[in-house]
Amino acid sequence: SGNEMWGGRFASGPDAIMEAINASIDFDKRLYEEDIAGSLAHAEMLAGVGILSGDDAAKIRQGLETIRRDIAEGRFEFRRDREDIHMNVEARLAELIGPAAGRLHTARSRNDQVAVDFRMHVRAAFRDLDRALLALIEALLDRAEEHAATVMPGFTHLQAAQPVTFGHHCLAYVEMVARDRSRVADALARLDECPLGAAALAGTGFPIDRHRTAAALGFSGPTRNSLDSVSDRDFALDFLATASICATHLSRLAEEIVIWSTPQFDFVRLSDSFSTGSSIMPQKKNPDAAELVRAKTGRINGSLVSLLTVMKGLPLSYSKDMQEDKEQVFDAIDNLALALAAITGMVRDMGVNAQKMRAAAGAGFSTATDLADFLVREAGLPFREAHHVTGRVVALAEERRVALEALPLDALKAVDERITDAVYSVLSVDASVASRTSFGGTAPDNVRAQVAFWRERLAS
Ligand code: ARG
């Protein structure tokens, strides 16, 4: 026999393969709360404009509440032959309340139904994401404040370049994650229109009130074009794009944690709760959580490309291809949440080896730029000439295998007469970072001021 929802024109039911490729209930049951909320708002509106009797609306409401409870408590039987969440709920409603259930779908289609359900789900996911991003920012700010003056090497090409502070490094990630939050806010503003009432694609002849359902579901108003309403998955792409950029930030931090926690660097020690051992090498403590955060980025980026590719060839309006939007987004929601929780835990817990960082910061003549700046400031050399003189000093230090500040003054003067005793006050890593007071620079006082800036901004 045919499908109980749309089987009127069919002589036989679907092939088993048809059901297997078509059914989405195994994953879209995750939308049940949104689906029921959407139906409640729709029924309420239909009753309000006189399309549905008060009596039928009450029955529908009670039935939907029962279904919501049954699903929440694991008592609901999801059926593949009922295809998706929308038809599972509606078919069950018919079993519970009889013919009144059949009036719920007046002036509605699964096309606008799934569009509004999924939008609400993505809206909630954006809000959860924002909370998780905020928690990461707070963890980074705590570490930045604690280590405002902890000197470490700043790198370019992963080669020690100039000293910075660990606090400054943490604040770099605060900036990135704050931009992720602004992307969430932008996307939420765009998402804030309700597609319910677009019906299949053309709108409806029934006197529905779309402003009312939009408000009931927490949207600022209805979408303006019925074709676009059932075709648009930009909000899902916005989520995946935001998630991909965010995951990319997390992956870079994870990569740094992997590098920093090697015995060769030994800048940080991961807590036992965020590392694992080896089954053969007893001495090992591996940064698996950081590596998995790095790897999650691959699948999240993959989800973005996947949905972009699903959407790119679709003529307006709805095509069943769009059913493939959900698993990509659900997977990204779950894995980004996990990655954020793990990285936040690692940032909070990791031990910082300030001695190691400081020693590494001084290696590799990292204050050479300070020497060149000194020659510009104190002796009036053009920077290019100062750069050249400093290069010769570096070559000398390299030849003698000592740090810049270990070269005696007569050796320095032999390179250039204009170098004076005052040079030693600029060659230490502490002097170097303390001098970087330009706006956005790494000076410890700047770092403290930036931490204060962010705390104030987050409080308001
Ligand atoms: N399960 C479908 C989806 O996720 C619901 C919409 C189906 N609409 C349709 N006309 N087949 O997209």
Side-chain angles (χ1 to χ4, degrees):
S1 70
N3 182 285
E4 43 187 331
M5 292 291 150
W6 44 251
R9 72 186 297 278
F10 289 78
S12 67
D15 189 274
I17 301 293
M18 181 61 213
E19 184 174 299
I21 195 172
N22 197 37
S24 54
I25 188 61
D26 292 341
F27 52 86
D28 69 16
K29 62 184 170 195
R30 178 164 166 157
L31 297 176
Y32 82 89
E33 290 206 58
E34 289 88 355
D35 194 69
I36 289 170
S39 289
L40 286 169
H42 184 66
E44 187 93 346
M45 180 278 292
L46 289 179
V49 300
I51 297 172
L52 204 61
S53 73
D55 192 38
D56 283 346
K59 279 193 197 136
I60 287 171
R61 187 177 335 106
Q62 283 159 19
L64 288 172
E65 300 289 3
T66 301
I67 292 169
R68 172 154 56 195
R69 220 171 317 115
D70 286 350
I71 296 177
E73 290 164 14
R75 269 186 274 115
F76 189 90
E77 190 209 344
F78 290 106
R79 286 174 45 176
R80 280 218 186 121
D81 63 329
R82 289 175 176 173
E83 230 177 285
D84 57 22
I85 185 61
H86 324 294
M87 296 205 295
N88 267 269
V89 170
E90 194 185 321
R92 179 67 188 142
L93 187 65
E95 288 168 2
L96 289 174
I97 69 168
R103 298 186 186 280
L104 172 62
H105 215 52
T106 313
R108 184 178 77 169
S109 153
R110 273 189 295 154
N111 296 347
D112 60 337
Q113 199 178 352
V114 72
V116 72
D117 291 5
F118 196 30
R119 249 182 210 245
M120 290 193 285
H121 196 80
V122 170
R123 181 174 64 184
F126 267 126
R127 290 174 180 161
D128 290 344
L129 172 58
D130 193 60
R131 273 188 288 276
L133 293 172
L134 181 58
L136 175 56
I137 288 177
E138 280 165 350
L140 287 164
L141 286 176
D142 287 345
R143 300 317 302 260
E145 185 165 43
E146 184 188 341
H147 291 286
T150 300
V151 180
M152 71 177 283
F155 297 93
T156 59
H157 315 274
L158 196 55
Q159 314 259 348
Q162 294 177 345
V164 295
T165 73
F166 184 60
H168 197 55
H169 203 109
C170 290
L171 287 177
Y173 282 101
V174 168
E175 295 288 334
M176 294 178 234
V177 179
R179 286 196 297 274
D180 292 333
R181 291 190 73 203
S182 79
R183 268 180 281 278
V184 170
D186 292 346
L188 277 171
R190 269 191 297 280
L191 175 155
D192 193 23
E193 292 175 342
C194 183
L196 187 60
L201 74 163
T204 174
F206 289 104
I208 58 172
D209 183 350
R210 292 192 58 207
H211 291 271
R212 180 171 171 161
T213 44
L217 296 172
F219 292 94
S220 69
T223 50
R224 281 170 303 279
N225 182 293
S226 61
L227 283 171
D228 177 54
S229 302
V230 296
S231 305
D232 167 34
R233 291 295 180 273
D234 287 9
F235 60 91
L237 291 170
D238 263 345
F239 183 85
L240 292 172
T242 302
S244 294
I245 296 172
C246 174
T248 299
H249 293 151
L250 303 188
S251 183
R252 294 181 75 174
L253 178 52
E255 167 68 0
E256 296 203 305
I257 290 174
V258 170
I259 293 171
W260 292 341
S261 62
T262 57
Q264 288 75 14
F265 269 76
D266 198 22
F267 286 1
V268 302
R269 298 264 164 89
L270 289 176
S271 67
D272 286 355
S273 33
F274 284 103
S275 30
T276 51
S278 157
S279 55
I280 177 168
M281 298 167 282
Q283 85 284 8
K284 294 274 282 177
K285 199 168 162 186
N286 295 326
D288 293 36
E291 292 169 333
L292 286 163
V293 169
R294 204 170 53 183
K296 294 294 188 195
T297 309
R299 71 195 271 176
I300 293 170
N301 291 352
S303 293
L304 172 61
V305 173
S306 188
L307 186 55
L308 285 168
T309 310
V310 166
M311 295 306 295
K312 70 172 274 292
L314 299 186
L316 303 187
S317 60
Y318 180 87
S319 296
K320 196 63 172 256
D321 309 51
M322 289 160 75
Q323 178 165 286
E324 293 281 317
D325 55 3
K326 289 166 211 69
E327 284 165 294
Q328 301 300 336
V329 171
F330 294 162
D331 189 79
I333 292 172
D334 295 343
N335 284 289
L336 185 59
L338 256 179
L340 269 163
I343 206 99
T344 303
M346 283 185 275
V347 167
R348 276 194 195 293
D349 285 12
M350 69 189 177
V352 172
N353 190 344
Q355 275 104 351
K356 266 283 183 155
M357 285 185 176
R358 152 177 288 278
F365 314 112
S366 67
T367 58
T369 315
D370 298 86
L371 173 54
D373 289 349
F374 169 87
L375 290 168
V376 169
R377 218 171 33 242
E378 305 295 319
L381 274 64
F383 182 78
R384 280 295 157 220
E385 189 186 345
H387 185 285
H388 187 76
V389 171
T390 304
R392 289 173 53 214
V393 172
V394 168
L396 180 66
E398 206 163 31
E399 189 186 304
R400 296 195 183 181
R401 296 175 191 281
V402 294
L404 293 178
E405 62 265 45
L407 288 170
L409 188 60
D410 56 348
L412 292 171
K413 279 200 175 295
V415 175
D416 194 296
E417 257 304 311
R418 291 165 290 187
I419 301 177
T420 64
D421 198 35
V423 77
Y424 293 104
S425 69
V426 306
L427 291 180
S428 77
V429 293
D430 288 291
S432 174
V433 296
S435 74
R436 299 296 203 263
T437 54
S438 58
F439 187 81
T442 192
D445 284 344
N446 274 14
V447 171
R448 290 184 195 99
Q450 286 295 319
V451 170
F453 164 83
W454 278 113
R455 289 207 197 285
E456 197 175 311
R457 169 170 277 203
L458 295 178
S460 65

